Amino acid sequence: MPEECGERCTETCLCSLEGIITTVSKKWALLVINTIGHYQKLRYNEIMHELHNISPKALSDILKRLEREGLVRREVFKEIPPRVEYSLTEDGRELRRMVIPLLKWASNRHNLNVERCVNRYRRVRLHKIKDEQ
Amino acid sequence: MPEECGERCTETCLCSLEGIITTVSKKWALLVINTIGHYQKLRYNEIMHELHNISPKALSDILKRLEREGLVRREVFKEIPPRVEYSLTEDGRELRRMVIPLLKWASNRHNLNVERCVNRYRRVRLHKIKDEQ
DNA sequence: CAGTATCCCAGCGGATACTG
DNA sequence: CAGTATCCGCTGGGATACTG
């Protein structure tokens, strides 16, 4: 095998795979982050409506995970009927920003464009990230 | 819901999730890419040795997938005994470069460092990406 | 409204044995 | 050496019904 690089190179631990990367790779994660980020604040059923083929359990699961990871904030209002609002934390917004270049690169490689969206996300209205200016 | 942003913002389709992102999120993907990238060229059993708790099937599966995605190149030498060498394509190297900032960011958030590596990757020697200078 | 509670299934990923 | 072939358990994720 070729020799390793010298002592002076910085190392980035793949252990972070256990956290964020694993979370991001969950099926609905980026879609939920993107949707919340797009509207700033959203209620549970509004997200359900936005991603209209997600099950309540799937949404509940991913929201809890995103909250645990510190990417999404959950705000409960003591009202009847109950109201809960979801928004992105600063980290969540930052992640959204960081993932865009990767997505862009991936899109280009496969020459995907609006017309070519024929997969499982087709019916999801907000399945595109709008870059903030 | 708050209003959407104007017509002038660029859109990045999450459909690319179907490709690269899905691949990258596979358990051994980044580890394999990183290992091959680190040594430039590696043979099947060398990778096995490097990631010494991966099964032959798991490695075979992920290598095929990475090859299909155009991230890894497979070179067969007609010899006896057979020799096969794996290396990164330009896209593979580019991906490796692109993921590093994300990993760095993730590592920082969780204050992970060499000492704190107590998870499933612990016994994998090359579970850290060395940044190319 | 904002979720749980259940049930269920496909398929990823692991272990092991075998082969051109 | 570089993989396949098999078997198999786990769990991510979906559908549906129900609740504080």
Side-chain angles (χ1 to χ4, degrees), chain A residues 1 3 14 41 48 53 61 66 76 82:
Chain A
M1 305 182 186
E3 79 288 358
L14 284 165
K41 277 182 189 303
M48 281 288 284
N53 40 0
D61 287 354
L66 294 176
V76 186

Side-chain angles (χ1 to χ4, degrees), chain B residues 43-44 57 60 64 74 82 86:
Chain B
R43 302 173 64 167
Y44 184 86
K57 176 175 171 296
S60 172
K64 265 182 229 155
R74 183 173 181 275
Y86 293 92

Side-chain angles (χ1 to χ4, degrees), chain A residues 67-103:
Chain A
E67 196 191 353
R68 242 192 308 123
E69 292 283 355
L71 300 172
V72 160
R73 180 173 17 253
R74 183 173 180 276
E75 213 174 344
V76 186
F77 297 87
K78 291 223 159 287
E79 306 174 354
I80 296 176
R83 178 159 60 106
V84 178
E85 286 184 353
Y86 293 93
S87 55
L88 295 188
T89 61
E90 182 48 42
D91 274 11
R93 281 191 293 275
E94 203 169 338
L95 176 63
R96 186 159 173 256
R97 262 176 261 132
M98 296 205 57
V99 167
I100 289 180
L102 195 57
L103 248 22

Side-chain angles (χ1 to χ4, degrees), chain B residues 12-113:
Chain B
T12 301
C13 191
L14 285 166
C15 288
S16 40
L17 280 172
E18 299 283 19
I20 289 297
I21 308 288
T22 307
T23 299
V24 164
S25 72
K26 296 295 170 197
K27 176 159 181 189
W28 295 97
L30 284 179
L31 237 22
V32 168
I33 288 176
N34 183 44
T35 303
I36 297 178
H38 183 70
Y39 291 110
Q40 272 92 286
K41 276 181 189 303
L42 273 190
R43 302 173 64 167
Y44 184 86
N45 278 340
E46 291 176 329
I47 306 179
M48 283 288 283
H49 180 250
E50 212 38 72
L51 318 176
H52 57 282
N53 41 359
I54 194 175
S55 71
K57 176 175 171 296
L59 180 54
S60 172
D61 287 355
I62 196 67
L63 281 174
K64 265 182 229 155
R65 175 152 203 162
L66 294 176
E67 197 191 351
R68 244 193 306 123
E69 292 283 357
L71 300 172
V72 159
R73 179 172 19 253
R74 183 173 181 275
E75 214 175 343
V76 186
F77 297 86
K78 289 221 159 291
E79 305 173 354
I80 296 176
R83 178 160 61 105
V84 178
E85 285 184 354
Y86 293 92
S87 55
L88 294 188
T89 62
E90 181 49 41
D91 273 11
R93 280 192 293 275
E94 203 169 338
L95 176 63
R96 186 160 174 257
R97 262 177 261 131
M98 295 204 58
V99 167
I100 288 179
L102 195 56
L103 248 22
K104 266 196 194 325
W105 178 76
S107 295
N108 282 343
R109 284 185 82 241
H110 289 276
N111 296 321
L112 289 173
N113 51 33

